[in-house]
């Protein structure tokens, strides 16, 4: 199960999708969860709240009260403004890690107090960040090998065995410290502690000692790299940003635009690779994205129309400020209906023809989480400013939880 980056927007989109997978008994059959940025916030929340993981083919009872409602409260908090302001205080000017360390503190306070060693072997959690020094994917991997609990690192720098004694929140902060708002997280590693790295240059020690981690979406916003060679069945929930046309606004706009174009093409190539592997049956599974429309899967389930998806829902900001009840409900509805239609269109036929004989689906009818937020005019009105990123973020409103 791949949970993409995209701030709270992606996390809430994934939350709706996972609600449907839980109802169908599929979430309990997931062997590994790989996550990036906003997806990592939700993954950490799952690790905190779903203990023990339900038996294969069963559902996690109390999903709404034990998983959804607490996450609604998380998404109703602005966790990015204080780290930014704290970084601007005069005594922090020379401490370039202040912002991301403060972000980690926010996650530890509001999302999870688990340590990395508390992560289970099943499902295996793979939290992704970007190694800025080597320009590759860095993972925090919970799987126990040869009696050693997990590992952290990448194929160039090498790996720490076992996982470092960090709060899980610190790994999530590394995965979600999106630039340029947050500086990358300095690790201050001892090069001799990193093993099995492929880089053998004379400057290895200096480079490894200076490794910093940035948002996992800088390298792979879908979180595919850790699993595409080792898992046959992959489900991908993509709540990442989309590339939008825009008019020229000068030299600074162009500098930012060049980076955005490169990033957009990298994401598009990974998505095309994934879909082509599905078509050629090199991989089995399904993909759904925030710009996807349910009718494109050949289904006629109640879902949001294409224009509303493209003009409003897919443009909701990718941010970590407070999300409103309406934003939470709409994003969850969208993720729920798309996961439902994608599973029906792609996974169920594989089960029926024997390709996925080991996978089962519970015959549970779909029930949209918040049917009162399926009305297009109401959604357009409530989300008309949701695309705007406010410098100081939005205020946390009273009684934000929308769980029903």
């Amino acid at each position: 199960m791949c949970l993409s980056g995209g701030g709270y927007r992606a996390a809430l989109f994934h939350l709706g999708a996972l609600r449907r997978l839980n109802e169908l008994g599929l979430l309990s059959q997931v062997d590994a969860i790989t996550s990036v940025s906003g997806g990592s916030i939700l993954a950490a929340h799952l690790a905190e709240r779903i203990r023990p993981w339900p038996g294969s083919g069963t559902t996690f009872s109390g999903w709404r009260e034990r998983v959804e409602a607490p996450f609604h409260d998380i998404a109703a908090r602005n966790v990015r403004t204080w780290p930014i302001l704290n970084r601007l205080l005069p005594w922090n000017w020379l401490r370039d890690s202040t912002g991301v360390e403060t972000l980690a503190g926010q996650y530890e306070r509001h999302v999870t107090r688990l340590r990395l060693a508390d992560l289970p072997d099943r499902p295996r959690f793979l939290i992704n960040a970007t190694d800025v020094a080597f320009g590759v994917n860095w993972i925090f991997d919970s799987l126990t090998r040869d009696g050693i609990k997990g590992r952290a690192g990448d194929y160039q720098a090498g790996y720490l065995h076992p996982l470092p004694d960090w709060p899980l929140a610190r790994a999530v902060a590394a995965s979600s410290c999106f630039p340029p708002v947050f500086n990358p997280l300095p690790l201050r590693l001892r090069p001799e502690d990193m093993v099995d790295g492929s880089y053998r240059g004379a400057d290895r020690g200096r480079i490894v000692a200076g490794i910093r981690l940035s948002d996992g979406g800088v390298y792979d916003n879908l979180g595919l790299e850790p699993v595409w060679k080792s898992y046959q069945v992959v489900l991908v929930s993509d709540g990442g940003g989309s590339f939008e046309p825009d008019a020229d606004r000068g030299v600074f706009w162009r500098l930012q635009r060049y980076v955005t174009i490169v990033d957009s093409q990298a994401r598009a190539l990974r998505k095309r690779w994934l879909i082509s592997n599905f078509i050629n049956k090199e991989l089995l599974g399904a993909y759904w994205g925030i710009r996807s429309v349910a009718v494109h899967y050949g289904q006629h389930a109640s879902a949001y129309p294409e224009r509303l998806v493209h003009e409003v829902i897919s443009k909701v900001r990718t941010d970590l400020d407070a999300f409103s009840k309406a934003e939470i409900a709409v994003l969850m509805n969208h993720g729920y209906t798309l996961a439902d239609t994608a599973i029906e269109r792609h996974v169920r036929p594989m089960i029926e023809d024997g390709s996925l004989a080991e996978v089962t689906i519970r015959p549970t009818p779909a029930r949209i989480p918040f049917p009162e937020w399926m009305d297009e005019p109401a959604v357009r009105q409530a989300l008309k400013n949701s695309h705007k990123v406010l410098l100081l973020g939005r205020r946390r409103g009273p009684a934000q939880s929308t769980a029903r």
Side-chain angles (χ1 to χ4, degrees):
M1 182 79 238
C2 301
L3 304 177
S4 81
Y8 281 157
R9 180 186 75 178
L12 291 163
F13 178 75
H14 303 327
L15 183 63
L18 295 186
R19 173 172 174 162
R20 184 54 179 154
L21 295 189
N22 182 58
E23 292 172 352
L24 295 171
L26 287 171
L27 182 60
S28 62
Q29 297 174 69
V30 167
D31 293 316
I33 297 175
T34 175
S35 62
V36 178
S37 194
S40 294
I41 301 172
L42 180 59
H45 179 71
L46 296 177
E48 174 81 26
R49 292 285 171 169
I50 306 182
R51 301 176 71 85
W53 199 256
S56 181
T58 67
T59 62
F60 180 71
S61 60
W63 175 269
R64 299 181 191 181
E65 297 78 18
R66 298 168 64 184
V67 177
E68 278 186 19
F71 198 80
H72 293 177
D73 287 337
I74 292 168
R77 294 180 181 275
N78 177 351
V79 298
R80 58 95 162 141
T81 300
W82 171 239
I84 296 169
L85 295 178
N86 192 31
R87 183 174 142 198
L88 297 177
L89 296 174
W91 51 86
N92 288 328
W93 287 355
L94 298 179
R95 299 174 57 194
D96 63 356
S97 65
T98 297
V100 66
E101 294 285 8
T102 306
L103 181 65
Q106 296 271 56
Y107 290 149
E108 189 165 14
R109 189 173 303 112
H110 302 302
V111 180
T112 179
R113 293 189 178 276
L114 295 177
R115 313 290 290 186
L116 283 172
D118 296 327
L119 290 171
D121 280 350
R122 186 180 183 279
R124 175 188 184 187
F125 282 87
L126 295 144
I127 296 173
N128 297 268
T130 299
D131 175 348
V132 179
F134 287 103
V136 296
N137 194 68
W138 174 286
I139 60 167
F140 298 93
D141 181 356
S142 73
L143 186 66
T144 299
R145 298 175 179 83
D146 300 324
I148 298 175
K149 179 60 181 178
R151 62 177 183 163
D154 60 60
Y155 78 96
Q156 291 266 43
Y159 296 90
L160 294 168
H161 299 274
L163 282 167
D165 185 27
W166 286 10
L168 173 57
R170 193 163 187 246
V172 175
S175 181
S176 61
C177 57
F178 53 92
V181 176
F182 295 103
N183 284 332
L185 176 71
L187 298 187
R188 302 180 180 91
L189 300 169
R190 296 193 309 171
E192 61 270 22
D193 292 339
M194 305 292 289
V195 299
D196 301 327
S198 65
Y199 186 75
R200 292 286 186 266
D203 53 356
R204 179 184 182 276
R206 178 177 60 83
I207 294 175
V208 171
I211 283 178
R212 294 167 181 259
L213 301 183
S214 188
D215 188 295
V218 173
Y219 183 82
D220 174 12
N221 200 55
L222 294 181
L224 278 168
E225 183 154 308
V227 297
W228 64 20
K229 295 178 182 178
S230 51
Y231 288 85
Q232 183 185 13
V233 185
V234 179
L235 302 178
V236 181
S237 183
D238 181 9
S242 57
F243 185 82
E244 301 292 341
D246 197 5
D248 190 281
R249 285 181 270 145
V251 62
F252 293 109
W253 175 90
R254 289 177 209 135
L255 290 173
Q256 184 272 336
R257 191 68 168 175
Y258 299 145
V259 175
T260 302
I261 291 171
V262 172
D263 175 68
S264 175
Q265 286 304 301
R267 295 185 189 193
L269 285 172
R270 287 186 183 274
K271 180 180 172 182
R272 289 172 194 155
W273 178 92
L274 175 68
I275 300 302
S276 68
N277 274 263
F278 283 155
I279 293 172
N280 295 328
K281 298 192 182 302
E282 298 291 331
L283 283 175
L284 303 177
Y287 165 94
W288 56 88
I290 199 161
R291 283 183 60 85
S292 303
V293 182
V295 294
H296 292 172
Y297 292 89
Q299 305 296 318
H300 298 283
S302 176
Y304 293 119
E306 184 168 2
R307 287 188 61 183
L308 182 63
V309 170
H310 291 171
E311 295 173 3
V312 178
I313 299 173
S314 67
K315 295 183 179 180
V316 172
R317 65 202 177 281
T318 56
D319 204 351
L320 296 175
D321 74 346
F323 272 52
S324 70
K325 289 192 233 181
E327 291 168 334
I328 291 170
V330 170
L331 288 166
M332 278 196 60
N333 282 350
H334 192 39
Y336 182 96
T337 56
L338 286 175
D340 183 52
T341 53
I343 295 299
E344 286 297 313
R345 176 67 177 85
H346 296 295
V347 177
R348 190 179 292 277
M350 295 178 194
I351 295 173
E352 292 172 351
D353 70 15
S355 301
L356 294 179
E358 70 280 12
V359 178
T360 60
I361 293 181
R362 293 168 62 93
T364 306
R367 295 184 179 89
I368 293 174
F370 305 101
E372 68 275 21
W373 282 107
M374 293 303 297
D375 178 67
E376 180 172 354
V379 171
R380 285 187 178 274
Q381 177 62 28
L383 273 61
K384 65 180 180 180
N385 293 317
S386 293
H387 63 288
K388 295 180 180 179
V389 176
L390 304 183
L391 181 61
L392 297 180
R394 290 158 170 80
R395 292 183 180 179
R396 175 186 170 88
Q400 284 287 332
S401 175
T402 61
R404 299 170 68 249

